[in-house]
PDB file of all heavy atoms in Angstrom:
ATOM      1  N   THR A 476      28.593  85.131  22.878  1.00 96.00           N
ATOM      2  CA  THR A 476      29.423  83.949  22.504  1.00 96.00           C
ATOM      3  C   THR A 476      29.349  82.938  23.561  1.00 96.00           C
ATOM      4  O   THR A 476      28.732  83.140  24.593  1.00 96.00           O
ATOM      5  CB  THR A 476      30.864  84.387  22.277  1.00 96.00           C
ATOM      6  OG1 THR A 476      31.487  84.739  23.476  1.00 96.00           O
ATOM      7  CG2 THR A 476      30.976  85.642  21.304  1.00 96.00           C
ATOM      8  N   GLU A 481      29.354  90.571  25.154  1.00 97.00           N
ATOM      9  CA  GLU A 481      30.055  91.859  25.031  1.00 97.00           C
ATOM     10  C   GLU A 481      29.130  92.909  24.573  1.00 97.00           C
ATOM     11  O   GLU A 481      28.166  92.634  23.809  1.00 97.00           O
ATOM     12  CB  GLU A 481      31.114  91.721  23.922  1.00 97.00           C
ATOM     13  CG  GLU A 481      32.008  90.502  23.964  1.00 97.00           C
ATOM     14  CD  GLU A 481      32.779  90.351  22.645  1.00 97.00           C
ATOM     15  OE1 GLU A 481      32.702  91.236  21.781  1.00 97.00           O
ATOM     16  OE2 GLU A 481      33.410  89.208  22.496  1.00 97.00           O
ATOM     17  N   GLN A 580      30.091  80.629  11.685  1.00 94.00           N
ATOM     18  CA  GLN A 580      30.234  81.304  10.415  1.00 94.00           C
ATOM     19  C   GLN A 580      31.304  82.423  10.494  1.00 94.00           C
ATOM     20  O   GLN A 580      31.265  83.185  11.497  1.00 94.00           O
ATOM     21  CB  GLN A 580      28.897  81.939   9.980  1.00 94.00           C
ATOM     22  CG  GLN A 580      28.986  82.623   8.654  1.00 94.00           C
ATOM     23  CD  GLN A 580      27.538  82.931   8.127  1.00 94.00           C
ATOM     24  OE1 GLN A 580      27.385  83.258   6.900  1.00 94.00           O
ATOM     25  NE2 GLN A 580      26.575  82.951   8.937  1.00 94.00           N
ATOM     26  N   MET A 582      32.518  85.887   9.981  1.00 97.00           N
ATOM     27  CA  MET A 582      31.941  87.173   9.628  1.00 97.00           C
ATOM     28  C   MET A 582      32.808  88.344   9.918  1.00 97.00           C
ATOM     29  O   MET A 582      33.794  88.224  10.735  1.00 97.00           O
ATOM     30  CB  MET A 582      30.663  87.308  10.568  1.00 97.00           C
ATOM     31  CG  MET A 582      29.617  86.259  10.334  1.00 97.00           C
ATOM     32  SD  MET A 582      28.159  86.608  11.372  1.00 97.00           S
ATOM     33  CE  MET A 582      28.861  86.495  13.013  1.00 97.00           C
ATOM     34  N   GLN A 592      37.041  90.515  12.826  1.00 97.00           N
ATOM     35  CA  GLN A 592      36.634  89.285  12.226  1.00 97.00           C
ATOM     36  C   GLN A 592      36.279  88.287  13.316  1.00 97.00           C
ATOM     37  O   GLN A 592      37.112  88.073  14.270  1.00 97.00           O
ATOM     38  CB  GLN A 592      37.771  88.703  11.335  1.00 97.00           C
ATOM     39  CG  GLN A 592      37.327  87.487  10.517  1.00 97.00           C
ATOM     40  CD  GLN A 592      38.424  87.045   9.492  1.00 97.00           C
ATOM     41  OE1 GLN A 592      39.210  87.953   9.017  1.00 97.00           O
ATOM     42  NE2 GLN A 592      38.465  85.812   9.146  1.00 97.00           N
ATOM     43  N   ARG A 593      35.109  87.643  13.193  1.00 96.00           N
ATOM     44  CA  ARG A 593      34.714  86.714  14.239  1.00 96.00           C
ATOM     45  C   ARG A 593      34.084  85.405  13.673  1.00 96.00           C
ATOM     46  O   ARG A 593      33.431  85.475  12.591  1.00 96.00           O
ATOM     47  CB  ARG A 593      33.592  87.417  15.130  1.00 96.00           C
ATOM     48  CG  ARG A 593      34.039  88.730  15.776  1.00 96.00           C
ATOM     49  CD  ARG A 593      35.028  88.552  16.886  1.00 96.00           C
ATOM     50  NE  ARG A 593      34.461  87.856  17.982  1.00 96.00           N
ATOM     51  CZ  ARG A 593      33.927  88.514  19.075  1.00 96.00           C
ATOM     52  NH1 ARG A 593      33.853  89.829  19.132  1.00 96.00           N
ATOM     53  NH2 ARG A 593      33.443  87.835  20.107  1.00 96.00           N
ATOM     54  N   ASN A 594      34.211  84.377  14.388  1.00 95.00           N
ATOM     55  CA  ASN A 594      33.562  83.092  14.004  1.00 95.00           C
ATOM     56  C   ASN A 594      32.892  82.407  15.270  1.00 95.00           C
ATOM     57  O   ASN A 594      32.525  81.286  15.245  1.00 95.00           O
ATOM     58  CB  ASN A 594      34.416  82.175  13.252  1.00 95.00           C
ATOM     59  CG  ASN A 594      35.561  81.647  14.103  1.00 95.00           C
ATOM     60  OD1 ASN A 594      35.770  82.053  15.319  1.00 95.00           O
ATOM     61  ND2 ASN A 594      36.434  80.765  13.591  1.00 95.00           N
ATOM     62  N   ASP A 595      32.846  83.169  16.367  1.00 96.00           N
ATOM     63  CA  ASP A 595      32.387  82.676  17.612  1.00 96.00           C
ATOM     64  C   ASP A 595      31.042  83.194  18.069  1.00 96.00           C
ATOM     65  O   ASP A 595      30.633  83.026  19.207  1.00 96.00           O
ATOM     66  CB  ASP A 595      33.459  82.884  18.722  1.00 96.00           C
ATOM     67  CG  ASP A 595      33.728  84.347  18.983  1.00 96.00           C
ATOM     68  OD1 ASP A 595      33.257  85.181  18.089  1.00 96.00           O
ATOM     69  OD2 ASP A 595      34.318  84.703  19.945  1.00 96.00           O
TER      70      ASP A 595
END
Side-chain angles (χ1 to χ4, degrees):
T476 69
E481 310 166 12
Q580 182 168 196
M582 297 183 298
Q592 186 172 333
R593 304 289 292 265
N594 64 357
D595 60 345

